[in-house]
Amino acid sequence: MGDPHGTRRLLAAKDLADARYFEPLTVADLAAAAHLSPAHFSRAFTRAFGEPPHRYLLTRRLERAAALLRTTDRSVADICFAVGAGSVGSFSTSFRRMYGRSPLGYRASFPSPLRYVHIPRCVAQAYGRPRNRTFREDDHPTAP
């Protein structure tokens, strides 16, 4: 990667894969973003980043799927298509190959995603505020 223009082009393609991993991107799409032929792009990308572009894109998709499995209760099929995988079968096979267990087995090894339920900040502050009883508070105001 001695050519700074070539490096910039490869980084543009890598950024495209990172930003739009959920779309049906192909190596040809990434090569077009880098203004290179698909074969030359694949060789240059592999030389620059240590893995072929297709594997890089698949890894991004599986990492995002793993995050969704940990933090949501969406179905595996829904997550599969949300991250841009084409079929549940190939997604599950790739997921097992990368993480060593099925998507459902992976999800079961983490606490329930319900603990990530977001509540409005005002509610969290109201219920998270300590009850300070060191001040004298009159629960029943006295009549004069």
Side-chain angles (χ1 to χ4, degrees):
M1 285 199 347
D3 177 21
H5 297 294
T7 303
R8 195 171 305 141
R9 289 176 179 183
L10 292 176
L11 287 173
K14 187 178 177 205
D15 289 345
L16 176 65
D18 288 337
R20 296 175 32 195
Y21 63 88
F22 50 87
E23 294 180 8
L25 289 176
T26 62
V27 173
D29 296 331
L30 298 175
H35 303 286
L36 298 171
S37 72
H40 181 69
F41 169 73
S42 291
R43 286 190 301 271
F45 191 94
T46 303
R47 194 171 43 249
F49 301 113
E51 62 182 336
H54 180 264
R55 187 183 309 157
Y56 180 82
L57 185 58
L58 179 62
T59 301
R60 297 289 80 74
R61 288 175 173 157
L62 293 175
E63 287 173 348
R64 180 66 184 143
L68 289 172
L69 285 166
R70 287 190 311 266
T71 59
T72 69
D73 59 352
R74 295 168 66 176
S75 71
V76 171
D78 187 31
I79 290 173
C80 163
F81 296 117
V83 299
S87 77
V88 176
S90 62
F91 167 75
S92 296
T93 301
S94 298
F95 193 90
R96 181 184 301 271
R97 192 173 297 137
M98 184 167 173
Y99 289 98
R101 57 185 97 161
S102 70
L104 288 177
Y106 180 81
R107 171 179 276 165
S109 65
F110 289 93
S112 170
L114 292 177
R115 71 183 179 126
Y116 295 109
V117 172
H118 295 282
I119 57 173
R121 185 174 178 193
C122 60
V123 172
Q125 287 177 339
Y127 285 96
R129 184 177 302 142
R131 303 281 180 210
N132 191 348
R133 294 286 179 193
T134 59
F135 297 107
R136 183 165 181 98
E137 296 176 353
D138 293 330
D139 291 334
H140 304 288
T142 57

